[in-house]
Amino acid sequence: MKSKKTDFGPRDIISGLPEALICHILSFLPIEDAALTSVLSKKWRYLFAYRPNLIFDGLLHIQHRAVGNTEKELILSRFMAFVDRVLELQESCAINKFSLLCGHGVRPYFVTDSILKVLRRGVTELDLHVSLDEGRLPSEVFESKSLVSLRIESGNVYGIDVQGVSLPKLKTLFLHRVMLGQAEDCFHKLTSGCHVLEELFLLRVYSDFWNRSLSSNSLKRLTLYCLDSDQNPDHVSFDTPNLVYFNYSDNIARKYPKVNFASLVEATIYLAMTRDQYAHANYGNLVANATDFFRGICNVQILYLSASTLEVLTFCCKPVPTFNKLVHLTVETHTVGWESLPTLLNNCPNLETLVFEGLHHKYTIKCGDVDGCLCKFSGEVPICLSSSPVKFLKVQRFGENGIENQIELVKHFLETMPRLEQLTVHYVASIDDDVNKVSSQLKDFARVASPNCEIQVVSDHLN
């Protein structure tokens, strides 16, 4: 836009805008770039700092070039001084978001002091990516009356002494590699102090390893990753009646006193046995009992099961519960037997879509038994296939580790599954000729049980 000319020369239209609007415009720039406007005039000197969202990246000038220790210390010193200056200029202004990214070499007291300053000023969104050489983050981050969103990711924070949790407005909590307390059940403490929490992400969060329980009527989305040791927790409980999405990775617990997922729609489950449990796994006796856990999620509609979870269903769950509401099931089949699949599929009476994440069939002694596998080694068709309600069958990563056995399995499904309407195969081949050959071969198979089944072969290399 051209400036309007007057008798005194061109007029600065931007500077004539209200200061609040200028600050809003500057808020779309990285704060380091916005700070460059401070040299334009006295009016512009401090405007860059009067912004509701403060995002500071201490690694920005280090990670893209090789620097020595001396230069790194100088960069970090300037960075800390810049953050302190902006917070000083902003002392009377409200802060919506404060984001701080800094690695080794930043003084712990600087991080703590910055956090406490923005908490006192009623920050609503706090985002911390910090790696401290020593010291702890302040426990006040869990005692804020203003926070709506809290995210802490750490490389080596030694811990946060959580005496109490009081976050009455918090709706989203994300913690990654953080230690909370020493002995108490930190998961229970967190949820009991967040009464309107809707989204919770706990990834490698450490406290009392042996017990974990989550209880919340407001929680709608939960991601919990605890697979960091080769031990089984004692008690794991979930009382989350309004949860709709659940992503869970853990070793099998010895007990599941309460599992309440009354509203669950979608779940991704990575349950695993310990090495000792693997060593003692057999088809006669359970090496652990995860039945109560699976019974607690049986209302789910969309379910993803890892390969290790299929093994848990085989050796740690009898009987497998019925999933009456399940319409979409994805199973990962990498390097495991399929012994649990027949029972699982038999107990999904309304299943419409079945997805294999890889089609890696591992032969076991159960393959020779009817309803002991999905393959045709027994010479008879498993009931779970001959009476299957599945309409849409998908195979992801088809062709990994050879295709002969996988083609035979697909042919077996086409010959036995009576309600198939569509088979989609995602082929990983990198040569067009191979893709076209497999596509022709699959489409030439007789659809014995489902004569009208449409077959699609999808590949990045197939025109």
Side-chain angles (χ1 to χ4, degrees):
M1 179 183 295
K2 293 183 178 180
S3 299
K4 295 182 179 179
K5 290 187 176 182
T6 66
D7 295 337
F8 305 100
R11 189 177 67 182
D12 184 356
I13 296 179
I14 300 297
S15 294
L17 295 173
E19 289 188 358
L21 182 55
I22 295 176
C23 293
H24 179 70
I25 294 172
L26 291 176
S27 69
F28 291 98
L29 296 174
I31 193 166
E32 293 85 359
D33 293 340
L36 298 177
T37 63
S38 62
V39 300
L40 295 178
S41 68
K42 289 184 178 180
K43 177 177 180 177
W44 286 81
R45 186 172 183 181
Y46 302 122
L47 288 181
F48 76 94
Y50 302 147
R51 52 197 286 158
N53 299 327
L54 299 176
I55 301 173
F56 299 100
D57 186 350
L59 304 178
L60 185 64
H61 305 293
I62 298 176
Q63 58 189 188
H64 297 302
R65 56 182 174 139
V67 296
N69 291 333
T70 302
E71 186 178 357
K72 179 180 178 181
E73 290 178 6
L74 180 60
I75 292 173
L76 291 177
S77 178
R78 289 173 176 172
F79 167 74
M80 290 183 284
F82 177 67
V83 175
D84 284 338
R85 180 58 173 159
V86 172
L87 291 177
E88 181 183 344
L89 291 172
Q90 262 225 346
E91 188 172 2
S92 60
C93 301
I95 299 178
N96 291 336
K97 177 179 180 178
F98 180 77
S99 177
L100 181 64
L101 172 62
C102 54
H104 298 284
V106 173
R107 301 183 187 95
Y109 77 83
F110 157 76
V111 175
T112 299
D113 186 58
S114 299
I115 293 171
L116 293 177
K117 283 179 180 178
V118 298
L119 286 173
R120 285 193 292 266
R121 289 162 58 185
V123 64
T124 59
E125 184 176 348
L126 184 59
D127 189 353
L128 305 172
H129 301 248
V130 294
S131 295
L132 302 182
D133 294 323
E134 58 183 18
R136 301 173 182 268
L137 292 180
S139 60
E140 284 85 348
V141 295
F142 294 112
E143 299 172 355
S144 167
K145 308 302 180 185
S146 62
L147 278 177
V148 175
S149 175
L150 172 61
R151 183 185 185 104
I152 303 176
E153 294 192 61
S154 170
N156 64 337
V157 167
Y158 291 106
I160 304 175
D161 291 325
V162 182
Q163 301 300 323
V165 176
S166 179
L167 297 164
K169 294 184 178 181
L170 196 73
K171 293 186 176 182
T172 301
L173 176 60
F174 185 108
L175 302 178
H176 183 205
R177 290 190 181 277
V178 177
M179 178 173 285
L180 301 177
Q182 296 296 325
E184 296 184 55
D185 183 347
C186 68
F187 296 163
H188 175 72
K189 180 178 285 189
L190 285 175
T191 52
S192 64
C194 304
H195 303 299
V196 297
L197 190 65
E198 296 180 358
E199 295 183 281
L200 177 60
F201 305 82
L202 299 176
L203 312 178
R204 294 185 172 96
V205 174
Y206 310 107
S207 182
D208 175 17
F209 176 82
W210 302 108
N211 298 290
R212 28 186 175 264
S213 58
L214 285 160
S215 179
S216 173
N217 287 323
S218 60
L219 202 60
K220 296 179 180 179
R221 298 179 65 87
L222 171 61
T223 297
L224 181 60
Y225 184 96
C226 304
L227 278 175
D228 263 354
S229 68
D230 191 41
Q231 301 181 66
N232 301 102
D234 279 331
H235 297 79
V236 174
S237 293
F238 300 95
D239 186 12
T240 51
N242 294 304
L243 197 75
V244 296
Y245 175 81
F246 184 39
N247 190 331
Y248 181 45
S249 301
D250 203 353
N251 290 320
I252 305 168
R254 292 181 172 86
K255 292 183 180 179
Y256 295 91
K258 188 168 188 177
V259 185
N260 179 10
F261 294 111
S263 304
L264 194 61
V265 174
E266 182 175 354
T268 297
I269 307 298
Y270 291 83
L271 272 186
M273 296 184 288
T274 62
R275 283 193 294 266
D276 182 65
Q277 288 172 330
Y278 272 113
H280 292 87
N282 61 74
Y283 299 108
N285 300 308
L286 298 181
V287 294
N289 194 345
T291 305
D292 288 339
F293 173 79
F294 288 105
R295 189 179 292 119
I297 66 169
C298 66
N299 286 325
V300 70
Q301 299 174 36
I302 302 170
L303 180 61
Y304 179 99
L305 299 178
S306 70
S308 64
T309 308
L310 293 183
E311 291 186 305
V312 167
L313 285 169
T314 299
F315 300 111
C316 311
C317 184
K318 290 181 181 178
V320 175
T322 299
F323 293 82
N324 283 312
K325 295 183 179 180
L326 191 65
V327 295
H328 190 291
L329 172 64
T330 298
V331 292
E332 181 189 35
T333 61
H334 185 60
T335 67
V336 298
W338 291 12
E339 299 95 332
S340 61
L341 283 178
T343 303
L344 177 61
L345 294 179
N346 277 331
N347 290 358
C348 301
N350 296 301
L351 188 64
E352 294 184 356
T353 300
L354 174 61
V355 181
F356 285 95
E357 192 70 35
L359 198 61
H360 305 286
H361 173 259
K362 178 182 177 181
Y363 179 81
T364 69
I365 60 174
K366 290 290 185 178
C367 293
D369 301 335
V370 178
D371 292 322
C373 188
L374 301 187
C375 65
K376 52 184 179 182
F377 281 107
S378 68
E380 299 183 40
V381 179
I383 296 174
C384 66
L385 295 182
S386 62
S387 61
S388 171
V390 172
K391 298 178 181 179
F392 307 99
L393 179 63
K394 298 181 181 180
V395 181
Q396 306 283 7
R397 304 202 310 268
F398 180 84
E400 284 185 341
N401 302 322
I403 65 170
E404 279 191 28
N405 291 336
Q406 296 185 23
I407 286 180
E408 285 299 311
L409 283 168
V410 170
K411 181 180 179 182
H412 184 48
F413 296 150
L414 288 170
E415 291 174 342
T416 56
M417 299 176 73
R419 300 185 184 178
L420 278 185
E421 296 178 6
Q422 185 177 85
L423 167 66
T424 304
V425 175
H426 292 256
Y427 191 29
V428 296
S430 59
I431 301 176
D432 289 352
D433 290 344
D434 289 347
V435 176
N436 288 314
K437 181 179 178 180
V438 169
S439 178
S440 299
Q441 190 173 358
L442 292 178
K443 292 179 180 180
D444 285 341
F445 284 150
R447 287 81 148 169
V448 178
S450 303
N452 297 319
C453 178
E454 177 188 355
I455 297 177
Q456 296 181 347
V457 178
V458 181
S459 173
D460 293 338
H461 300 275
L462 183 64
N463 294 324

